PDB file of all heavy atoms in Angstrom:
ATOM      1  N   THR E 192       2.670  69.264  31.431  1.00 41.00           N
ATOM      2  CA  THR E 192       3.757  68.322  31.561  1.00 41.00           C
ATOM      3  C   THR E 192       3.847  67.729  32.963  1.00 41.00           C
ATOM      4  O   THR E 192       4.429  66.691  33.145  1.00 41.00           O
ATOM      5  CB  THR E 192       5.133  69.040  31.234  1.00 41.00           C
ATOM      6  OG1 THR E 192       5.276  70.065  32.214  1.00 41.00           O
ATOM      7  CG2 THR E 192       5.124  69.577  29.814  1.00 41.00           C
ATOM      8  N   THR E 193       3.237  68.450  33.976  1.00 43.00           N
ATOM      9  CA  THR E 193       3.441  68.021  35.314  1.00 43.00           C
ATOM     10  C   THR E 193       2.154  67.659  36.054  1.00 43.00           C
ATOM     11  O   THR E 193       2.209  67.306  37.259  1.00 43.00           O
ATOM     12  CB  THR E 193       4.226  69.080  36.121  1.00 43.00           C
ATOM     13  OG1 THR E 193       3.416  70.300  36.066  1.00 43.00           O
ATOM     14  CG2 THR E 193       5.624  69.330  35.449  1.00 43.00           C
ATOM     15  N   THR E 194       0.996  67.796  35.408  1.00 43.00           N
ATOM     16  CA  THR E 194      -0.259  67.531  36.144  1.00 43.00           C
ATOM     17  C   THR E 194      -0.216  66.079  36.589  1.00 43.00           C
ATOM     18  O   THR E 194      -0.240  65.112  35.861  1.00 43.00           O
ATOM     19  CB  THR E 194      -1.418  67.761  35.188  1.00 43.00           C
ATOM     20  OG1 THR E 194      -1.306  69.059  34.640  1.00 43.00           O
ATOM     21  CG2 THR E 194      -2.678  67.618  35.906  1.00 43.00           C
ATOM     22  N   PRO E 195      -0.296  65.821  37.854  1.00 48.00           N
ATOM     23  CA  PRO E 195      -0.044  64.406  38.388  1.00 48.00           C
ATOM     24  C   PRO E 195      -1.323  63.684  38.588  1.00 48.00           C
ATOM     25  O   PRO E 195      -1.255  62.469  38.908  1.00 48.00           O
ATOM     26  CB  PRO E 195       0.640  64.622  39.672  1.00 48.00           C
ATOM     27  CG  PRO E 195       0.071  65.931  40.194  1.00 48.00           C
ATOM     28  CD  PRO E 195      -0.240  66.847  38.975  1.00 48.00           C
ATOM     29  N   TYR E 196      -2.481  64.291  38.603  1.00 54.00           N
ATOM     30  CA  TYR E 196      -3.694  63.609  39.055  1.00 54.00           C
ATOM     31  C   TYR E 196      -4.594  63.145  37.897  1.00 54.00           C
ATOM     32  O   TYR E 196      -4.542  63.630  36.723  1.00 54.00           O
ATOM     33  CB  TYR E 196      -4.559  64.610  39.821  1.00 54.00           C
ATOM     34  CG  TYR E 196      -5.142  65.715  39.092  1.00 54.00           C
ATOM     35  CD1 TYR E 196      -6.452  65.611  38.639  1.00 54.00           C
ATOM     36  CD2 TYR E 196      -4.430  66.859  38.795  1.00 54.00           C
ATOM     37  CE1 TYR E 196      -7.006  66.670  37.844  1.00 54.00           C
ATOM     38  CE2 TYR E 196      -4.950  67.837  38.032  1.00 54.00           C
ATOM     39  CZ  TYR E 196      -6.239  67.753  37.598  1.00 54.00           C
ATOM     40  OH  TYR E 196      -6.802  68.823  36.808  1.00 54.00           O
ATOM     41  N   ARG E 197      -5.437  62.242  38.225  1.00 67.00           N
ATOM     42  CA  ARG E 197      -6.510  61.783  37.283  1.00 67.00           C
ATOM     43  C   ARG E 197      -7.695  62.551  37.623  1.00 67.00           C
ATOM     44  O   ARG E 197      -8.197  62.528  38.840  1.00 67.00           O
ATOM     45  CB  ARG E 197      -6.737  60.276  37.378  1.00 67.00           C
ATOM     46  CG  ARG E 197      -7.828  59.857  36.364  1.00 67.00           C
ATOM     47  CD  ARG E 197      -8.067  58.357  36.381  1.00 67.00           C
ATOM     48  NE  ARG E 197      -9.082  57.959  35.467  1.00 67.00           N
ATOM     49  CZ  ARG E 197      -8.932  57.755  34.143  1.00 67.00           C
ATOM     50  NH1 ARG E 197      -7.727  57.918  33.660  1.00 67.00           N
ATOM     51  NH2 ARG E 197      -9.962  57.417  33.379  1.00 67.00           N
ATOM     52  N   PRO E 198      -8.333  63.308  36.673  1.00 70.00           N
ATOM     53  CA  PRO E 198      -9.473  64.163  37.064  1.00 70.00           C
ATOM     54  C   PRO E 198     -10.666  63.344  37.605  1.00 70.00           C
ATOM     55  O   PRO E 198     -10.836  62.197  37.188  1.00 70.00           O
ATOM     56  CB  PRO E 198      -9.789  64.925  35.687  1.00 70.00           C
ATOM     57  CG  PRO E 198      -9.234  64.007  34.698  1.00 70.00           C
ATOM     58  CD  PRO E 198      -8.025  63.356  35.263  1.00 70.00           C
ATOM     59  N   GLY E 199     -11.363  63.962  38.466  1.00 78.00           N
ATOM     60  CA  GLY E 199     -12.580  63.332  38.977  1.00 78.00           C
ATOM     61  C   GLY E 199     -13.770  63.415  37.946  1.00 78.00           C
ATOM     62  O   GLY E 199     -13.693  64.136  36.945  1.00 78.00           O
ATOM     63  N   ASP E 200     -14.830  62.782  38.297  1.00 79.00           N
ATOM     64  CA  ASP E 200     -16.015  62.722  37.514  1.00 79.00           C
ATOM     65  C   ASP E 200     -16.527  64.155  37.207  1.00 79.00           C
ATOM     66  O   ASP E 200     -16.970  64.473  36.097  1.00 79.00           O
ATOM     67  CB  ASP E 200     -17.129  61.892  38.040  1.00 79.00           C
ATOM     68  CG  ASP E 200     -16.807  60.362  38.038  1.00 79.00           C
ATOM     69  OD1 ASP E 200     -15.847  60.044  37.324  1.00 79.00           O
ATOM     70  OD2 ASP E 200     -17.423  59.614  38.835  1.00 79.00           O
ATOM     71  N   SER E 201     -16.517  65.041  38.174  1.00 86.00           N
ATOM     72  CA  SER E 201     -17.021  66.375  38.024  1.00 86.00           C
ATOM     73  C   SER E 201     -16.185  67.165  37.091  1.00 86.00           C
ATOM     74  O   SER E 201     -16.730  68.028  36.278  1.00 86.00           O
ATOM     75  CB  SER E 201     -17.147  67.102  39.458  1.00 86.00           C
ATOM     76  OG  SER E 201     -15.863  67.195  40.015  1.00 86.00           O
ATOM     77  N   ASP E 202     -14.849  66.990  37.118  1.00 91.00           N
ATOM     78  CA  ASP E 202     -13.973  67.637  36.211  1.00 91.00           C
ATOM     79  C   ASP E 202     -14.303  67.264  34.776  1.00 91.00           C
ATOM     80  O   ASP E 202     -14.392  68.095  33.860  1.00 91.00           O
ATOM     81  CB  ASP E 202     -12.511  67.336  36.544  1.00 91.00           C
ATOM     82  CG  ASP E 202     -12.051  67.822  37.837  1.00 91.00           C
ATOM     83  OD1 ASP E 202     -12.382  68.932  38.196  1.00 91.00           O
ATOM     84  OD2 ASP E 202     -11.478  66.977  38.560  1.00 91.00           O
ATOM     85  N   VAL E 203     -14.405  65.893  34.564  1.00 95.00           N
ATOM     86  CA  VAL E 203     -14.693  65.370  33.240  1.00 95.00           C
ATOM     87  C   VAL E 203     -16.105  65.866  32.743  1.00 95.00           C
ATOM     88  O   VAL E 203     -16.237  66.245  31.577  1.00 95.00           O
ATOM     89  CB  VAL E 203     -14.681  63.840  33.220  1.00 95.00           C
ATOM     90  CG1 VAL E 203     -15.145  63.301  31.908  1.00 95.00           C
ATOM     91  CG2 VAL E 203     -13.239  63.390  33.547  1.00 95.00           C
ATOM     92  N   ALA E 204     -17.066  65.873  33.608  1.00 95.00           N
ATOM     93  CA  ALA E 204     -18.362  66.433  33.292  1.00 95.00           C
ATOM     94  C   ALA E 204     -18.330  67.855  32.845  1.00 95.00           C
ATOM     95  O   ALA E 204     -19.059  68.243  31.849  1.00 95.00           O
ATOM     96  CB  ALA E 204     -19.362  66.180  34.443  1.00 95.00           C
ATOM     97  N   ARG E 205     -17.557  68.613  33.522  1.00 96.00           N
ATOM     98  CA  ARG E 205     -17.399  70.111  33.084  1.00 96.00           C
ATOM     99  C   ARG E 205     -16.795  70.174  31.682  1.00 96.00           C
ATOM    100  O   ARG E 205     -17.288  71.040  30.849  1.00 96.00           O
ATOM    101  CB  ARG E 205     -16.661  70.849  34.145  1.00 96.00           C
ATOM    102  CG  ARG E 205     -17.411  71.232  35.362  1.00 96.00           C
ATOM    103  CD  ARG E 205     -16.676  72.297  36.216  1.00 96.00           C
ATOM    104  NE  ARG E 205     -15.494  71.707  36.774  1.00 96.00           N
ATOM    105  CZ  ARG E 205     -15.416  71.151  37.941  1.00 96.00           C
ATOM    106  NH1 ARG E 205     -16.488  70.952  38.659  1.00 96.00           N
ATOM    107  NH2 ARG E 205     -14.276  70.622  38.397  1.00 96.00           N
ATOM    108  N   VAL E 206     -15.802  69.440  31.463  1.00 97.00           N
ATOM    109  CA  VAL E 206     -15.185  69.390  30.094  1.00 97.00           C
ATOM    110  C   VAL E 206     -16.161  68.887  29.070  1.00 97.00           C
ATOM    111  O   VAL E 206     -16.307  69.554  27.988  1.00 97.00           O
ATOM    112  CB  VAL E 206     -13.904  68.557  30.116  1.00 97.00           C
ATOM    113  CG1 VAL E 206     -13.348  68.385  28.690  1.00 97.00           C
ATOM    114  CG2 VAL E 206     -12.831  69.207  30.990  1.00 97.00           C
ATOM    115  N   ARG E 207     -16.908  67.880  29.375  1.00 97.00           N
ATOM    116  CA  ARG E 207     -17.900  67.373  28.398  1.00 97.00           C
ATOM    117  C   ARG E 207     -18.934  68.487  28.042  1.00 97.00           C
ATOM    118  O   ARG E 207     -19.256  68.729  26.957  1.00 97.00           O
ATOM    119  CB  ARG E 207     -18.565  66.133  28.933  1.00 97.00           C
ATOM    120  CG  ARG E 207     -19.677  65.602  27.968  1.00 97.00           C
ATOM    121  CD  ARG E 207     -20.449  64.491  28.595  1.00 97.00           C
ATOM    122  NE  ARG E 207     -19.660  63.267  28.804  1.00 97.00           N
ATOM    123  CZ  ARG E 207     -19.441  62.397  27.814  1.00 97.00           C
ATOM    124  NH1 ARG E 207     -20.012  62.567  26.638  1.00 97.00           N
ATOM    125  NH2 ARG E 207     -18.729  61.298  28.058  1.00 97.00           N
TER     126      ARG E 207
END
Side-chain angles (χ1 to χ4, degrees):
T192 62
T193 58
T194 306
Y196 69 96
R197 180 175 178 85
D200 291 345
S201 61
D202 298 314
V203 174
R205 281 193 292 272
V206 170
R207 180 186 291 275

